Amino acid sequence: MLNLKNPFIFAPIKTGYSDGSGIVTEKHLAFYNRRAKYLGAITPEPFYLDKGLRELPTQLGIDNDDKIKGLKKLTDLIHQYNTKVIAHLNHPGRMANPKIPGNYYVSSTHMPCENGGAMPRKMNAADIRKAIDLFVNAAIRAEKSGFDLIELQFGHGYLPAQFISPFVNNRDDEYGGAFENRVKFPLDILKAVKEVTNLPIIVRISGDEMIPGGIKLPEMIKFSKILEDKGVNAIHVSAGSVCSTPPWYFQHMFIEKGKTWELAKAIKTGTNIPVIFVGRINRIDDIEKIKNDYSAEYIAVGRALVADPDFIGKYLTEVKGQIRPCLACEQGCLGGVRAGQGLKCLVNPEVGEDGTPLKPTRQVKKIAVIGGGLAGMQASIALAERGHKVDIYEKDKLGGQFNLAYLAPHKKSMESLVPYFVNELNSKKINIIYKEAKSNDIISKYDTVILATGSKPSALKIEGLDKFFWAEIMMEENLPTGKKVLIIGGGLVGVDIATALIPRGNQIIITELLDGFARDMEMIARELSLKNMNEQNVVFSDHTIIKKIAGKTIYAERNNEKIQFNDVDIIVISIGTKSYIPLRDELNNKLPVYTIGDAQKPGNAQNAIYDGYKIAKEL
């Protein structure tokens, strides 16, 4: 057993908060401090073992003794809550980032990752010894830094898994071929690490790589029995490969929830070793199911603790309030790290600013927020938390355009966000005024006004265009069946509309003025959506300008060549939006006016929520 105060563990999530030195920063300390109190253990982000093996330029390191001071500061901080700290040691092998100068690439094979990556060198005996030494030295530093446990990453397509996986390992020496040979390298790592530390050891594995010919459950049950015999203290069971099956690795909203729990249950049943369950555990119902149906000893939670640092505290009833929902969208967490901004969160604007929380206002103001979309609701909630008196005006339905976001396939998880905000408004007793605000409702009655009136769909002037839909075509009452549909605009909204129409037997043509489709979409959602559209014979036409509509015939130009689309039944316009600010001119110079969200500049849901939070923090 791991001797934790409770069974909940923060799973390792890359933050991108380092300054490039690999040393712990104040941003790390604030982030983990905000999440440590109610957990049994925290696993900080994966540590690089060698500066030439980084996945991110801003990754934390444990490659040198100069990292110990900062790591000790981090473990001491977390220990004040009687929460243990786990050092997650990971060698990426061929998955080291090819864009980072100085990185090198080794693997069980000479083949690069099939979804991109550098050509690795097939490891020889010296390479294998060096890799083992990296794990050994990192384990020694982890103990010196005050870590309580070590987690060895043997899954997710990283170096040890590149040996275990028959899909990747094409060796014909003692490390290739039969199962016993393929597990020799990770077992050599385990043996060497155990020789230099007495810390309990967790091994993380992929119960299934979710690719034909890859790691499969029967071998992982067999491997787990060997690990049990070797004295491992727990097995942490996940799924997928960062190289081949990123949606499973990231537990994206597009993949099936609960598959990793089934894999963990099978390994638990087939061994006598404690098993850590993980994988999109973001609701109280998930925890109850895993505990009651699978008798889980330990539960690892990742992105749900990014979305709501008090998720487990609320589950344990030590913190009051509703849980801010994790949407499993990866837009802020994965997207922020990949963009070089560091870890963010679509639903939680405080992520990355954990060290500077909201403070009570020194001067209470009466504030009108006009517009009840995501920006307006977040602004109202944060203003009320600071002590301001807030009225929010909404002429239609709270949530704005985000009420359409979950109508596309595989995006059902997004449905929980608007109800969360509405419940927050009600719990904070914020006055919701369901009417279109006029200037005489505002002037002389408020100290400040915040315009969160959002945006309107951009229009197109095309000869013959007299009837068309926007994203509202995804609503159940509008969904066509068996029609030929032309979608003009191939961004996120256009692609979501296409994927929503496909299951109803519609034939889709989607055009885009620029190059490519869904450029503004989160990476995994983009890849899977476009894959689905290709499989369903969607007609893609980029660099295309629609010139004229004559009945069911659409005349266009593609790369300056004339083309046409025939027998089109329905036209959908999704070329973006433009800011809608009806009251700005009337209110300017009458009282302080602030514009946020799409009303300021059309963006995405994350931008809108952050805008609302930021203005509330500043007022």
Side-chain angles (χ1 to χ4, degrees), residues 306-346:
V306 178
D308 190 336
D310 294 322
F311 174 47
I312 297 304
K314 290 172 180 175
Y315 170 77
L316 297 171
T317 70
E318 294 183 38
V319 180
K320 293 181 180 179
Q322 64 168 337
I323 293 166
R324 188 183 286 256
C326 171
L327 309 182
C329 64
E330 317 292 346
Q331 184 171 314
C333 44
L334 174 59
V337 171
R338 285 187 177 275
Q341 301 169 348
L343 185 70
K344 300 287 186 181
C345 180
L346 185 153

Short mmCIF file of all heavy atoms in Angstrom, two decimals, residues 306-346:
data_model
loop_
_atom_site.label_atom_id
_atom_site.label_comp_id
_atom_site.label_asym_id
_atom_site.label_seq_id
_atom_site.Cartn_x
_atom_site.Cartn_y
_atom_site.Cartn_z
N VAL A 306 -7.64 20.56 -12.57
CA VAL A 306 -7.27 21.82 -13.21
C VAL A 306 -8.51 22.70 -13.28
O VAL A 306 -8.50 23.87 -12.90
CB VAL A 306 -6.68 21.58 -14.62
CG1 VAL A 306 -6.34 22.90 -15.30
CG2 VAL A 306 -5.45 20.68 -14.54
N ALA A 307 -9.62 22.11 -13.74
CA ALA A 307 -10.87 22.85 -13.86
C ALA A 307 -11.37 23.33 -12.49
O ALA A 307 -11.84 24.46 -12.36
CB ALA A 307 -11.92 21.98 -14.54
N ASP A 308 -11.29 22.47 -11.49
CA ASP A 308 -11.73 22.83 -10.14
C ASP A 308 -10.74 22.28 -9.14
O ASP A 308 -10.74 21.08 -8.85
CB ASP A 308 -13.12 22.28 -9.84
CG ASP A 308 -13.70 22.83 -8.54
OD1 ASP A 308 -12.92 23.25 -7.67
OD2 ASP A 308 -14.93 22.84 -8.40
N PRO A 309 -9.85 23.12 -8.59
CA PRO A 309 -8.84 22.65 -7.64
C PRO A 309 -9.45 22.00 -6.40
O PRO A 309 -8.78 21.23 -5.73
CB PRO A 309 -8.10 23.95 -7.27
CG PRO A 309 -8.35 24.88 -8.38
CD PRO A 309 -9.71 24.56 -8.90
N ASP A 310 -10.72 22.32 -6.10
CA ASP A 310 -11.39 21.78 -4.92
C ASP A 310 -12.31 20.61 -5.27
O ASP A 310 -13.19 20.25 -4.46
CB ASP A 310 -12.20 22.87 -4.23
CG ASP A 310 -11.32 23.96 -3.65
OD1 ASP A 310 -10.24 23.64 -3.13
OD2 ASP A 310 -11.70 25.14 -3.74
N PHE A 311 -12.14 20.02 -6.43
CA PHE A 311 -12.99 18.91 -6.84
C PHE A 311 -13.07 17.82 -5.78
O PHE A 311 -14.15 17.40 -5.35
CB PHE A 311 -12.48 18.34 -8.17
CG PHE A 311 -13.18 17.10 -8.65
CD1 PHE A 311 -14.56 17.00 -8.65
CD2 PHE A 311 -12.44 16.01 -9.12
CE1 PHE A 311 -15.20 15.85 -9.11
CE2 PHE A 311 -13.06 14.87 -9.57
CZ PHE A 311 -14.45 14.78 -9.57
N ILE A 312 -11.91 17.37 -5.31
CA ILE A 312 -11.91 16.30 -4.30
C ILE A 312 -12.38 16.84 -2.95
O ILE A 312 -13.10 16.16 -2.21
CB ILE A 312 -10.52 15.66 -4.19
CG1 ILE A 312 -10.15 14.99 -5.52
CG2 ILE A 312 -10.48 14.64 -3.06
CD1 ILE A 312 -11.12 13.95 -6.02
N GLY A 313 -11.99 18.06 -2.61
CA GLY A 313 -12.49 18.66 -1.37
C GLY A 313 -14.00 18.73 -1.35
O GLY A 313 -14.64 18.52 -0.31
N LYS A 314 -14.61 19.03 -2.48
CA LYS A 314 -16.07 19.08 -2.56
C LYS A 314 -16.66 17.67 -2.50
O LYS A 314 -17.72 17.46 -1.89
CB LYS A 314 -16.49 19.80 -3.84
CG LYS A 314 -16.18 21.30 -3.79
CD LYS A 314 -16.40 22.00 -5.11
CE LYS A 314 -16.07 23.48 -5.00
NZ LYS A 314 -16.15 24.20 -6.29
N TYR A 315 -15.99 16.72 -3.13
CA TYR A 315 -16.46 15.33 -3.02
C TYR A 315 -16.43 14.86 -1.56
O TYR A 315 -17.36 14.18 -1.10
CB TYR A 315 -15.59 14.40 -3.88
CG TYR A 315 -15.87 12.94 -3.62
CD1 TYR A 315 -17.00 12.33 -4.14
CD2 TYR A 315 -15.02 12.19 -2.79
CE1 TYR A 315 -17.27 11.00 -3.87
CE2 TYR A 315 -15.28 10.87 -2.53
CZ TYR A 315 -16.42 10.27 -3.07
OH TYR A 315 -16.69 8.95 -2.79
N LEU A 316 -15.38 15.24 -0.85
CA LEU A 316 -15.24 14.83 0.56
C LEU A 316 -16.09 15.69 1.50
O LEU A 316 -16.04 15.49 2.72
CB LEU A 316 -13.76 14.92 0.96
CG LEU A 316 -12.79 13.99 0.22
CD1 LEU A 316 -11.35 14.34 0.56
CD2 LEU A 316 -13.08 12.52 0.53
N THR A 317 -16.83 16.65 0.94
CA THR A 317 -17.69 17.60 1.68
C THR A 317 -16.88 18.50 2.63
O THR A 317 -17.43 19.02 3.59
CB THR A 317 -18.83 16.90 2.44
OG1 THR A 317 -18.31 16.15 3.54
CG2 THR A 317 -19.64 15.99 1.53
N GLU A 318 -15.60 18.66 2.35
CA GLU A 318 -14.79 19.58 3.13
C GLU A 318 -14.81 20.99 2.54
O GLU A 318 -14.36 21.95 3.18
CB GLU A 318 -13.35 19.06 3.21
CG GLU A 318 -13.24 17.75 3.99
CD GLU A 318 -11.80 17.28 4.15
OE1 GLU A 318 -10.93 18.15 4.33
OE2 GLU A 318 -11.55 16.07 4.06
N VAL A 319 -15.30 21.10 1.32
CA VAL A 319 -15.45 22.40 0.66
C VAL A 319 -16.88 22.49 0.15
O VAL A 319 -17.40 21.54 -0.45
CB VAL A 319 -14.47 22.56 -0.52
CG1 VAL A 319 -14.66 23.91 -1.20
CG2 VAL A 319 -13.03 22.41 -0.05
N LYS A 320 -17.52 23.63 0.37
CA LYS A 320 -18.89 23.81 -0.10
C LYS A 320 -18.88 24.33 -1.53
O LYS A 320 -17.92 24.92 -2.00
CB LYS A 320 -19.63 24.79 0.81
CG LYS A 320 -19.86 24.27 2.22
CD LYS A 320 -20.62 25.30 3.06
CE LYS A 320 -20.85 24.77 4.47
NZ LYS A 320 -21.57 25.77 5.32
N GLY A 321 -20.00 24.14 -2.20
CA GLY A 321 -20.14 24.69 -3.55
C GLY A 321 -20.22 23.61 -4.60
O GLY A 321 -19.86 22.44 -4.37
N GLN A 322 -20.72 24.00 -5.78
CA GLN A 322 -20.81 23.04 -6.87
C GLN A 322 -19.46 22.91 -7.58
O GLN A 322 -18.60 23.80 -7.49
CB GLN A 322 -21.90 23.45 -7.85
CG GLN A 322 -21.66 24.76 -8.57
CD GLN A 322 -22.63 24.97 -9.71
OE1 GLN A 322 -23.20 24.03 -10.26
NE2 GLN A 322 -22.83 26.21 -10.10
N ILE A 323 -19.28 21.81 -8.25
CA ILE A 323 -18.02 21.51 -8.93
C ILE A 323 -18.01 22.19 -10.29
O ILE A 323 -18.95 22.04 -11.08
CB ILE A 323 -17.83 19.99 -9.07
CG1 ILE A 323 -17.62 19.37 -7.68
CG2 ILE A 323 -16.65 19.67 -9.99
CD1 ILE A 323 -17.75 17.87 -7.66
N ARG A 324 -16.94 22.95 -10.56
CA ARG A 324 -16.77 23.55 -11.89
C ARG A 324 -16.41 22.41 -12.84
O ARG A 324 -15.41 21.71 -12.65
CB ARG A 324 -15.67 24.61 -11.86
CG ARG A 324 -15.57 25.42 -13.14
CD ARG A 324 -14.43 26.42 -13.10
NE ARG A 324 -14.71 27.56 -12.24
CZ ARG A 324 -15.04 28.78 -12.68
NH1 ARG A 324 -15.15 28.99 -13.98
NH2 ARG A 324 -15.25 29.77 -11.83
N PRO A 325 -17.21 22.19 -13.88
CA PRO A 325 -17.04 20.96 -14.67
C PRO A 325 -15.86 20.98 -15.62
O PRO A 325 -15.60 21.98 -16.30
CB PRO A 325 -18.36 20.90 -15.46
CG PRO A 325 -18.78 22.32 -15.61
CD PRO A 325 -18.35 23.01 -14.34
N CYS A 326 -15.13 19.89 -15.65
CA CYS A 326 -14.12 19.67 -16.69
C CYS A 326 -14.85 19.12 -17.91
O CYS A 326 -15.59 18.15 -17.81
CB CYS A 326 -13.07 18.68 -16.21
SG CYS A 326 -11.92 18.15 -17.52
N LEU A 327 -14.60 19.73 -19.07
CA LEU A 327 -15.30 19.32 -20.29
C LEU A 327 -14.53 18.27 -21.09
O LEU A 327 -15.03 17.79 -22.10
CB LEU A 327 -15.55 20.55 -21.17
CG LEU A 327 -16.22 21.76 -20.49
CD1 LEU A 327 -16.45 22.87 -21.50
CD2 LEU A 327 -17.52 21.36 -19.81
N ALA A 328 -13.31 17.93 -20.66
CA ALA A 328 -12.44 17.00 -21.39
C ALA A 328 -12.20 17.49 -22.82
O ALA A 328 -12.00 16.70 -23.74
CB ALA A 328 -13.04 15.58 -21.40
N CYS A 329 -12.18 18.82 -22.99
CA CYS A 329 -12.04 19.41 -24.32
C CYS A 329 -10.59 19.60 -24.73
O CYS A 329 -10.29 19.73 -25.92
CB CYS A 329 -12.77 20.74 -24.37
SG CYS A 329 -12.09 21.99 -23.25
N GLU A 330 -9.70 19.68 -23.75
CA GLU A 330 -8.25 19.86 -23.94
C GLU A 330 -7.89 21.23 -24.51
O GLU A 330 -6.71 21.49 -24.81
CB GLU A 330 -7.64 18.78 -24.86
CG GLU A 330 -8.12 17.38 -24.62
CD GLU A 330 -7.68 16.78 -23.30
OE1 GLU A 330 -6.79 17.36 -22.67
OE2 GLU A 330 -8.24 15.76 -22.90
N GLN A 331 -8.85 22.11 -24.69
CA GLN A 331 -8.57 23.38 -25.35
C GLN A 331 -7.60 24.24 -24.57
O GLN A 331 -6.66 24.81 -25.13
CB GLN A 331 -9.87 24.15 -25.59
CG GLN A 331 -9.66 25.45 -26.36
CD GLN A 331 -10.96 26.11 -26.78
OE1 GLN A 331 -11.86 25.45 -27.29
NE2 GLN A 331 -11.09 27.41 -26.53
N GLY A 332 -7.82 24.36 -23.26
CA GLY A 332 -6.93 25.20 -22.46
C GLY A 332 -5.72 24.46 -21.96
O GLY A 332 -4.60 24.99 -21.99
N CYS A 333 -5.91 23.21 -21.51
CA CYS A 333 -4.79 22.49 -20.90
C CYS A 333 -3.77 22.05 -21.95
O CYS A 333 -2.61 22.49 -21.92
CB CYS A 333 -5.30 21.31 -20.08
SG CYS A 333 -6.60 20.33 -20.85
N LEU A 334 -4.19 21.25 -22.90
CA LEU A 334 -3.27 20.83 -23.96
C LEU A 334 -2.96 22.00 -24.89
O LEU A 334 -1.80 22.24 -25.24
CB LEU A 334 -3.89 19.67 -24.75
CG LEU A 334 -3.13 19.20 -25.99
CD1 LEU A 334 -1.73 18.75 -25.63
CD2 LEU A 334 -3.91 18.08 -26.69
N GLY A 335 -4.01 22.74 -25.26
CA GLY A 335 -3.81 23.85 -26.20
C GLY A 335 -2.90 24.93 -25.66
O GLY A 335 -2.05 25.46 -26.37
N GLY A 336 -3.06 25.28 -24.38
CA GLY A 336 -2.23 26.31 -23.77
C GLY A 336 -0.77 25.92 -23.71
O GLY A 336 0.12 26.72 -23.99
N VAL A 337 -0.52 24.66 -23.35
CA VAL A 337 0.87 24.18 -23.26
C VAL A 337 1.50 24.15 -24.65
O VAL A 337 2.63 24.59 -24.85
CB VAL A 337 0.90 22.79 -22.59
CG1 VAL A 337 2.30 22.19 -22.69
CG2 VAL A 337 0.49 22.90 -21.13
N ARG A 338 0.75 23.64 -25.62
CA ARG A 338 1.30 23.55 -26.98
C ARG A 338 1.57 24.94 -27.57
O ARG A 338 2.49 25.11 -28.38
CB ARG A 338 0.33 22.77 -27.88
CG ARG A 338 0.36 21.28 -27.64
CD ARG A 338 -0.49 20.55 -28.68
NE ARG A 338 -0.42 19.11 -28.52
CZ ARG A 338 0.53 18.34 -29.04
NH1 ARG A 338 1.50 18.88 -29.75
NH2 ARG A 338 0.52 17.03 -28.85
N ALA A 339 0.75 25.91 -27.18
CA ALA A 339 0.91 27.26 -27.72
C ALA A 339 2.01 28.04 -27.01
O ALA A 339 2.30 29.18 -27.38
CB ALA A 339 -0.42 28.02 -27.61
N GLY A 340 2.63 27.44 -25.98
CA GLY A 340 3.69 28.11 -25.25
C GLY A 340 3.20 29.06 -24.19
O GLY A 340 3.99 29.80 -23.59
N GLN A 341 1.89 29.04 -23.90
CA GLN A 341 1.33 29.92 -22.87
C GLN A 341 1.37 29.28 -21.49
O GLN A 341 1.15 29.95 -20.49
CB GLN A 341 -0.13 30.23 -23.22
CG GLN A 341 -0.32 30.92 -24.55
CD GLN A 341 -1.78 30.97 -24.97
OE1 GLN A 341 -2.63 30.32 -24.38
NE2 GLN A 341 -2.07 31.77 -25.97
N GLY A 342 1.65 27.99 -21.43
CA GLY A 342 1.54 27.26 -20.17
C GLY A 342 0.12 26.76 -19.98
O GLY A 342 -0.80 27.10 -20.72
N LEU A 343 -0.04 25.91 -18.98
CA LEU A 343 -1.33 25.29 -18.72
C LEU A 343 -2.40 26.33 -18.46
O LEU A 343 -2.25 27.22 -17.63
CB LEU A 343 -1.20 24.37 -17.50
CG LEU A 343 -2.42 23.53 -17.14
CD1 LEU A 343 -2.66 22.44 -18.16
CD2 LEU A 343 -2.24 22.91 -15.76
N LYS A 344 -3.51 26.20 -19.18
CA LYS A 344 -4.70 27.04 -19.00
C LYS A 344 -5.90 26.11 -18.86
O LYS A 344 -5.78 24.91 -18.87
CB LYS A 344 -4.88 27.99 -20.19
CG LYS A 344 -3.73 28.95 -20.42
CD LYS A 344 -3.68 30.04 -19.38
CE LYS A 344 -2.61 31.08 -19.70
NZ LYS A 344 -2.53 32.14 -18.68
N CYS A 345 -7.09 26.73 -18.79
CA CYS A 345 -8.30 25.92 -18.72
C CYS A 345 -9.45 26.72 -19.31
O CYS A 345 -9.64 27.89 -18.96
CB CYS A 345 -8.62 25.53 -17.28
SG CYS A 345 -10.12 24.52 -17.09
N LEU A 346 -10.22 26.10 -20.18
CA LEU A 346 -11.36 26.78 -20.79
C LEU A 346 -12.33 27.27 -19.72
O LEU A 346 -12.81 28.41 -19.78
CB LEU A 346 -12.08 25.86 -21.77
CG LEU A 346 -13.23 26.44 -22.59
CD1 LEU A 346 -13.39 25.71 -23.91
CD2 LEU A 346 -14.56 26.42 -21.84
#
